[in-house]
Amino acid sequence: VQLVESGGGLVQAGGSLRLSCAASGSIFSINAMNWYRQAPGKQRELVAAITGGGSTNYADSVKGRFTISRDNAKNTVYLQMNSLKPDDTAVYYCNAMIRASAWGPTADYWGQGTQVTVSS
């Protein structure tokens, strides 16, 4: 199983970016899909989460600006980021709880990360 992120880049404050994360490989089911971020010198933090049923949760710092969504047919999760601030600058990581087979356990998978830089 592999998670591949895309959509990061450099944007001015107030701008928008859309991150995508596609899961591929042997996948029976995907439960929660999450976005984390890690800024230089800081701990990795949960930004947004979405359950298999579509329930969402956000960090207080991004509520009202970021929207997480998923396309189960494409095994893909998205993060729409609007009104970006310099404090949003970080490496963004995709995370998913995936079951590879009907009889196997659910395991935790991570993407390689994508850089988001917001200039002031």
Side-chain angles (χ1 to χ4, degrees):
V1 176
Q2 189 176 20
L3 298 180
V4 177
E5 297 130 336
S6 61
L10 173 64
V11 65
Q12 288 188 333
S16 299
L17 284 174
R18 188 190 193 209
L19 304 183
S20 299
C21 172
S24 62
S26 177
I27 297 172
F28 175 76
S29 64
I30 304 178
N31 296 334
M33 302 186 83
N34 311 304
W35 286 99
Y36 286 77
R37 68 185 180 187
Q38 187 166 20
K42 295 187 177 181
Q43 289 188 331
R44 190 173 296 190
E45 63 172 349
L46 178 64
V47 174
I50 185 166
T51 67
S55 297
T56 59
N57 191 33
Y58 298 92
D60 287 343
S61 60
V62 307
K63 281 181 182 177
R65 300 188 298 121
F66 290 10
T67 302
I68 189 171
S69 61
R70 62 192 286 170
D71 184 335
N72 291 328
K74 295 181 178 180
N75 291 332
T76 299
V77 63
Y78 306 96
L79 186 67
Q80 178 67 44
M81 305 185 293
N82 299 328
S83 302
L84 283 161
K85 305 174 182 179
D87 284 349
D88 295 319
T89 295
V91 178
Y92 284 70
Y93 296 91
C94 173
N95 165 253
M97 302 299 294
I98 298 174
R99 178 171 292 180
S101 63
W103 55 88
T106 298
D108 201 12
Y109 292 89
W110 291 86
Q112 79 286 357
T114 185
Q115 178 70 46
V116 172
T117 303
V118 184
S119 62
S120 57

